[in-house]
Amino acid sequence: MSNARFYQPEIETMPLEEMQALQSEKLVKQVRHIYDNVPYYRAKMEKKGVTPDDIHGIEDLHKLPFITKDDLRDQYPKGFLAVDQSKCVRIQSTSGTTGRRVVAFYTQHDVDLWEDCCARAIMAVGGTNEDVCQVAYGYGLFTGGPGLNGGSHKVGCLTLPMSSGNTERQIQFMMDLEATILCCTPSYAAYLGESLKERGYKPEDNKLKAGIFGAEPWTEEMRRDIEKSLGIKAYDIYGLTEISGPGVSFECTEQKGMHINEDHFLAEIIDPDTEEVLPEGEKGELVFTCLDKEAFPMVRYRTRDICVLTREKCSCGRTLIRMRKPMGRSDDMLIIRGVNVFPSQIETVLLQEGYAPNYFIEVDRVNNTDTLDIYVELTEDQFSDTVKAVTAAEKALAGAIKTMLGINPAVHLVAPKTIARSEGKAVRVKDKRKLHD
Ligand code: DLL
């Protein structure tokens, strides 16, 4: 075993049999909890002909119905709340409109276990109470900042709660406070690397040793670039609001996939079309069951992330199952500048603003920053406008889309009949980024 550090060694190195017994015990209780307290899920179980009495352990997991984003949308905002609201201390939320937004509720117990998971991630990259942890994920509704902030406190690091953006200030605090661990999206880490270089800093001028980067897909090539430009080791971290936030899984110093905190989040891989459970090592959609969350306990939640699981031994000593970097999605969600975007959200704005749904979305990554270009076809009537009017209309539409998504697109209004028509399923999105190996 390497000289790896653990936040909760008894869990992180637990033998498989013991882990499975623990998972089974928790699952039985969790199913009873959600059945008793979430009428919507109870109805789903009844429809499938299953009751809590049928669930004796993880071997019975497959009997339970799935939860999808559509279910969450249907039950927005409180339909999945499984405890009295007075027991909740926090909400977090995904980006998106009211309809697409997921509002996740947390009791203090839920916050604690989430922060424990983030603490495991920080210690797995060598973090201790000697470290200065710069958290440059967004704070607020987004889970990135609050999650890593809590983990950093638990480890005892000196925490710099920077939030995202304001690069000048990030660099000043990184240098003056001698940050040793950086937490942010990989694209922002790459941007910080470039910004430091532009200001004449060499990689060895900063005190950083490790970075914990996630919330969006990134490649091994990007990892190498970031490691070089910041002079650090760059580690991946995965999570989603529905399940808690960052720290559902995390990389250790082996950098060979992310260990899933499976004492809290039970993972399965399914075929996204048939919903059949696939054996370990096969590629499919990742599904999570929260084993001991109280307020918002997702059971068999379909993440839409395409992934592979492995129980191969890891030389760090952790026995927690590992997932590969997500390899894509089984839905059309894009992650642009860390924001989850569905093309249908853009279409909704176009229709609301009086445009026809003839559009094309192009996403790219220029200088490590995602770009979003939206080409919208004008009708013959709209096209008779002057250039000045078109420019004003582009600005107005970009503003409306920004209000919906929270990110600024470049809108291009184009002449009638210039966007290619499709004979089959319309191809409306071109993602030119290289996001997966
Ligand atoms: O992105 C939570 C998070 C914050 C993770 C900070 C890591 C660090 P959501 O906004 O709900 O939550 O987005 C979740 O982002 O289903 C994946 O598609 C994608 N994602 C998250 N982490 C990774 C990663 C946060 N390391 C969605 N690699 C997920 C690839 C990731 N995709």
Side-chain angles (χ1 to χ4, degrees):
M1 194 189 290
S2 65
N3 56 353
R5 290 172 197 277
F6 306 101
Y7 179 66
Q8 288 164 313
E10 69 291 355
I11 296 284
E12 294 175 65
T13 62
M14 189 176 266
L16 180 59
E17 264 178 38
E18 254 179 75
M19 176 60 74
Q20 290 181 333
L22 179 68
Q23 289 171 329
S24 286
E25 191 191 314
K26 288 184 179 185
L27 179 69
V28 170
K29 282 195 201 138
Q30 185 65 289
V31 172
R32 171 65 63 191
H33 173 58
I34 189 168
Y35 183 87
D36 286 348
N37 295 294
V38 179
Y40 183 84
Y41 196 72
R42 181 189 191 124
K44 280 192 94 143
M45 281 178 66
E46 278 165 0
K47 200 166 157 213
K48 224 173 167 234
V50 53
T51 71
D53 292 336
D54 300 315
I55 308 300
H56 305 287
I58 54 173
E59 66 283 3
D60 296 322
L61 186 62
H62 68 98
K63 296 178 181 164
L64 293 163
F66 292 103
I67 300 175
T68 64
K69 236 189 176 67
D70 282 339
D71 291 317
L72 299 186
R73 205 174 309 139
D74 192 61
Q75 291 301 299
Y76 172 88
K78 295 187 191 170
F80 271 96
L81 184 55
V83 295
D84 194 89
Q85 193 177 303
S86 62
K87 292 210 174 70
C88 296
V89 296
R90 170 95 68 85
I91 66 144
Q92 302 286 163
S93 179
T94 55
S95 56
T97 52
T98 316
R100 289 282 185 178
R101 232 181 226 298
V102 172
V103 176
F105 294 77
Y106 302 71
T107 62
Q108 187 56 50
H109 161 90
D110 297 338
V111 172
D112 266 339
L113 76 83
W114 173 28
E115 292 181 349
D116 284 346
C117 290
C118 290
R120 291 181 194 172
I122 293 171
M123 288 198 67
V125 307
T128 69
N129 60 357
E130 303 289 336
D131 280 294
V132 178
C133 184
Q134 177 162 0
V135 184
Y137 285 110
Y139 280 64
L141 288 174
F142 180 56
T143 54
L148 269 310
N149 191 95
S152 173
H153 277 226
K154 289 214 170 195
V155 175
C157 304
L158 174 63
T159 310
L160 312 185
M162 303 298 299
S163 197
S164 51
N166 202 336
T167 304
E168 212 54 59
R169 194 175 60 187
Q170 299 279 359
I171 291 178
Q172 188 195 337
F173 276 73
M174 178 189 289
M175 291 300 174
D176 295 353
L177 276 296
E178 303 187 321
T180 54
I181 298 176
L182 174 65
C183 305
C184 61
T185 59
S187 28
Y188 194 56
Y191 180 70
L192 276 174
E194 276 169 24
S195 306
L196 282 163
K197 193 172 168 198
E198 273 165 22
R199 286 163 181 75
Y201 290 110
K202 292 199 265 321
E204 58 274 21
D205 291 338
N206 69 63
K207 290 276 194 297
L208 291 174
K209 60 181 189 190
I212 303 181
F213 307 132
E216 61 184 9
W218 53 310
T219 57
E220 287 300 324
E221 190 187 343
M222 193 160 172
R223 189 203 304 261
R224 282 190 294 276
D225 282 355
I226 296 172
E227 292 192 330
K228 215 164 125 198
S229 72
L230 289 172
I232 60 170
K233 281 277 177 202
Y235 299 99
D236 206 351
I237 185 165
Y238 168 90
L240 60 165
T241 315
E242 294 87 329
I243 303 303
S244 67
V248 169
S249 66
F250 60 94
E251 248 181 2
C252 63
T253 46
E254 297 302 310
Q255 296 180 311
K256 285 189 188 138
M258 294 177 271
H259 290 280
I260 297 175
N261 283 309
E262 60 176 325
D263 54 321
H264 299 305
F265 315 118
L266 182 56
E268 296 170 274
I269 291 284
I270 62 160
D271 178 319
D273 299 321
T274 64
E275 299 191 332
E276 178 202 348
V277 179
L278 300 177
E280 182 202 322
E282 282 197 30
K283 185 168 123 183
E285 183 182 330
L286 194 52
V287 172
F288 281 112
T289 295
C290 299
L291 290 172
D292 43 13
K293 269 177 66 188
E294 297 172 337
F296 194 70
M298 293 289 101
V299 168
R300 301 198 90 196
Y301 180 69
R302 290 188 58 171
T303 65
R304 298 288 174 182
D305 289 316
I306 300 296
C307 204
V308 174
L309 298 178
T310 175
R311 280 227 178 258
E312 258 170 49
K313 199 165 179 256
C314 182
S315 36
C316 76
R318 282 177 189 76
T319 47
L320 300 171
I321 194 167
R322 271 174 298 156
M323 59 181 263
R324 266 185 63 164
K325 266 179 183 303
M327 301 144 89
R329 294 195 46 95
S330 67
D331 63 5
D332 57 354
M333 188 180 92
L334 300 157
I335 303 181
I336 306 173
R337 285 173 235 151
V339 176
N340 303 348
V341 174
F342 289 91
S344 58
Q345 292 174 284
I346 295 173
E347 186 169 314
T348 304
V349 182
L350 295 184
L351 295 173
Q352 275 167 3
E353 298 292 311
Y355 293 91
N358 293 322
Y359 62 93
F360 189 74
I361 300 168
E362 198 171 79
V363 189
D364 206 349
R365 190 166 277 177
V366 181
N367 295 332
N368 292 309
T369 303
D370 293 333
T371 58
L372 168 62
D373 285 88
I374 305 171
Y375 297 85
V376 184
E377 202 177 272
L378 293 167
T379 60
E380 296 291 348
D381 293 351
Q382 290 165 327
F383 192 56
S384 56
D385 284 342
T386 60
V387 173
K388 203 170 153 195
V390 170
T391 311
E394 282 177 343
K395 219 173 143 194
L397 185 53
I401 293 171
K402 162 120 206 244
T403 307
M404 170 76 99
L405 303 179
I407 51 172
N408 236 328
V411 168
H412 313 272
L413 295 177
V414 298
K417 308 260 181 313
T418 46
I419 290 181
R421 300 293 192 270
S422 160
E423 288 181 357
K425 220 166 132 73
V427 182
R428 300 202 183 283
V429 181
K430 184 164 190 187
D431 194 341
K432 294 161 88 179
R433 299 171 296 179
K434 185 179 178 290
L435 299 178
H436 308 284
D437 288 306

